[in-house]
Amino acid sequence: MEFSVAVIPGDGIGPEIIREAKKVLDKAGKVYGHRFHYTELLMGGASIDVHGVPLTEETLATAKKSDAVLLGAVGGNVGVSNWYSLPPELRPEAGLLKIRKGLELFANLRPALLFEDLKKACPLKEEIIGEGFDMIVVRELTGGLYFGERKTVVENGLRKAYDTLTYDEEEIRRIARAGFETARKRRKKLCSVDKANVIDSSRLWRQVVKEVGKDYPDVELSDMLVDNCAMQLVKDPGQFDVILTENMFGDILSDEASMITGSIGMLPSASLGKTKLGLYEPSHGSAPDIAGQNKANPMATILSAAMMLRYSFDLEEEALKIEEAVRKVLSKGYRTVDIMSPGNVLVGTDKMGDLIAEEVK
Ligand code: NAD
């Protein structure tokens, strides 16, 4: 089969990790008889440097016409890069919000899986890790605080800033469905996380999730307050299967979940909407501190490419093959510096890509 993939390397380590993901995809294509046609696009700082904006309308239009979008990361060194002297709507990260909104990607799936061979890299004590954990955060991506009206004003000589958190029931319903559907394909446990003891949007969230839950009697639904969830993630991560939550809570909790897997360099993500067109990117940022040094872990991006095969192209076997290849390379002891432990073999970004591609056979 043939697929068109809009590829956005972005900034910092973006081009390095995208190169490795393409290497692995092409190998999978060769083994299984598929062709991936890449169109390289600019976004973030790379686009600001050329076009003065983080995402042009033409780039968005090209992305919309593709079968899927594969993204590295955007952004630079805050405080050092000139990009941050621009107004917020022209900074690199504004491109991310615009493409997510433009492609109507309202569901962000972030798996947090502790690989058996990386237990040593997990910062939690062995008795807490137990059998390990394998959860997924389903985060609402196009509503809530990050998209609400915001302003900074001066009142009575004092600066005052406000942001608004709004959800309507349809926005909650569609992400709740995505959460239940995800749980249905896994261990059938959905924990909806909110702050219903304080904020109205969370009270509506909880009601609507319960209503949607009636259509999924096979999925066990529970609620948890976000502060408790932050605590439970480090106290007993094995209790979670699917965490369903709104935009900002999901942003924070998925980073926390990612950290306890050992390295943010391991975690993929998929952003999905109503159609098959999805955007796939690692959960981490552009890591300007290690950019251009061949040190970045490409696994999160390679695993994101596997998610692309699964969710946008329905190539489950090929996706599993890539995930298995990552597992095999880890079990042979190869590590990038972020997950290195004594006794392992240190490799750079490009070598790690080669090793994973070799295992796809
Ligand atoms: P970051 O995720 O880029 O880096 C945090 C730490 O993790 C750094 O020490 C970095 O070296 C390390 N790290 C990240 N990815 C790694 C990998 N693949 N391999 C090895 N180590 C890795 O977060 P940050 O430093 O807070 O942000 C840097 C820039 O990235 C900022 O401009 C931020 O806005 C942007 N950002 C972009 C995205 C995105 O594009 N989706 C997401 C988060 C942050």
Side-chain angles (χ1 to χ4, degrees):
M1 285 199 274
E2 310 231 342
F3 303 96
S4 65
V5 183
V7 175
I8 306 178
D11 309 313
I13 58 170
E16 297 167 67
I17 52 181
I18 281 288
R19 195 178 311 127
E20 302 316 310
K22 280 167 67 181
K23 196 184 275 176
V24 175
L25 274 175
D26 287 338
K27 181 68 188 295
K30 209 169 159 194
V31 171
Y32 289 94
H34 307 302
R35 280 197 66 189
F36 303 107
H37 302 282
Y38 306 110
T39 307
E40 213 151 287
L41 301 173
L42 294 178
M43 197 173 97
S47 173
I48 296 173
D49 290 346
V50 177
H51 302 295
V53 291
L55 179 69
T56 65
E57 292 304 326
E58 296 77 53
T59 303
L60 182 58
T62 309
K64 273 185 186 165
K65 276 189 252 149
S66 320
D67 294 322
V69 182
L70 185 65
L71 168 68
V74 297
N77 235 333
V78 183
V80 176
S81 161
N82 283 336
W83 298 326
Y84 296 93
S85 56
L86 295 166
E89 66 278 12
L90 289 180
R91 292 180 193 168
E93 291 75 8
L96 273 177
L97 299 189
K98 188 173 169 183
I99 199 165
R100 287 171 184 164
K101 194 90 186 173
L103 300 180
E104 296 180 73
L105 304 172
F106 59 82
N108 185 215
L109 272 55
R110 289 213 203 177
L113 165 70
L114 180 64
F115 284 88
E116 185 63 31
D117 289 288
L118 284 185
K119 280 191 170 171
K120 278 201 204 120
C122 174
L124 301 178
K125 285 186 196 150
E126 256 182 72
E127 60 261 38
I128 290 178
I129 298 172
E131 297 286 292
F133 49 85
D134 173 4
M135 68 183 115
I136 185 160
V137 179
V138 177
R139 165 191 170 195
E140 201 290 328
L141 203 57
T142 51
L145 205 54
Y146 294 0
F147 288 92
E149 191 191 334
R150 71 185 89 243
K151 213 168 195 165
T152 305
V153 293
V154 178
E155 264 180 29
N156 304 324
L158 286 179
R159 282 172 300 162
K160 179 175 158 182
Y162 67 86
D163 302 274
T164 47
L165 200 178
T166 315
Y167 274 111
D168 68 41
E169 57 181 306
E170 191 40 43
E171 285 174 308
I172 303 171
R173 203 168 284 126
R174 64 185 187 180
I175 187 71
R177 272 193 218 107
F180 280 105
E181 290 291 337
T182 307
R184 207 167 234 184
K185 293 188 196 111
R186 296 173 47 96
R187 300 193 304 278
K188 299 188 172 53
K189 271 177 69 182
L190 182 82
C191 179
S192 172
V193 174
D194 59 41
K195 189 71 184 165
N197 55 341
V198 183
I199 56 180
D200 261 22
S201 58
S202 275
R203 284 191 270 270
L204 180 64
W205 179 279
R206 199 174 270 211
Q207 279 171 20
V208 175
V209 170
K210 277 210 174 78
E211 287 161 20
V212 174
K214 291 188 183 133
D215 294 336
Y216 297 86
D218 50 324
V219 176
E220 180 193 323
L221 169 66
S222 59
D223 298 301
M224 195 178 275
L225 295 174
V226 62
D227 37 353
N228 185 24
C229 183
M231 194 173 74
Q232 294 295 334
L233 274 172
V234 288
K235 198 170 157 231
D236 179 17
Q239 71 183 284
F240 295 108
D241 179 19
V242 178
I243 292 177
L244 168 71
T245 193
E246 62 93 48
N247 202 341
M248 184 177 66
F249 297 159
D251 191 6
I252 299 167
L253 293 176
S254 57
D255 264 27
E256 186 187 354
S258 71
M259 199 48 232
I260 57 176
T261 65
S263 169
I264 195 153
M266 294 301 302
L267 294 171
S269 84
S271 300
L272 309 173
K274 277 198 185 120
T275 68
K276 281 274 169 197
L277 169 59
L279 182 144
Y280 302 85
E281 58 177 321
S283 293
H284 58 74
S286 60
D289 53 333
I290 55 165
Q293 298 170 37
N294 199 30
K295 280 186 183 166
N297 184 346
M299 289 186 178
T301 316
I302 291 167
L303 292 168
S304 302
M307 289 182 92
M308 175 173 86
L309 300 185
R310 171 172 296 123
Y311 292 107
S312 283
F313 305 160
D314 284 326
L315 300 176
E316 178 67 22
E317 192 185 330
E318 291 81 340
L320 285 171
K321 180 61 106 182
I322 292 177
E323 289 161 355
E324 191 50 35
V326 168
R327 205 167 277 125
K328 277 190 188 148
V329 169
L330 287 172
S331 75
K332 288 183 179 172
Y334 295 107
R335 301 284 188 274
T336 41
V337 68
D338 56 311
I339 48 173
M340 186 65 191
S341 298
N344 292 140
V345 186
L346 182 65
V347 294
T349 310
D350 51 0
K351 178 75 180 164
M352 187 55 101
D354 290 344
L355 288 164
I356 296 168
E358 270 165 36
E359 291 292 346
V360 178
K361 52 191 171 197

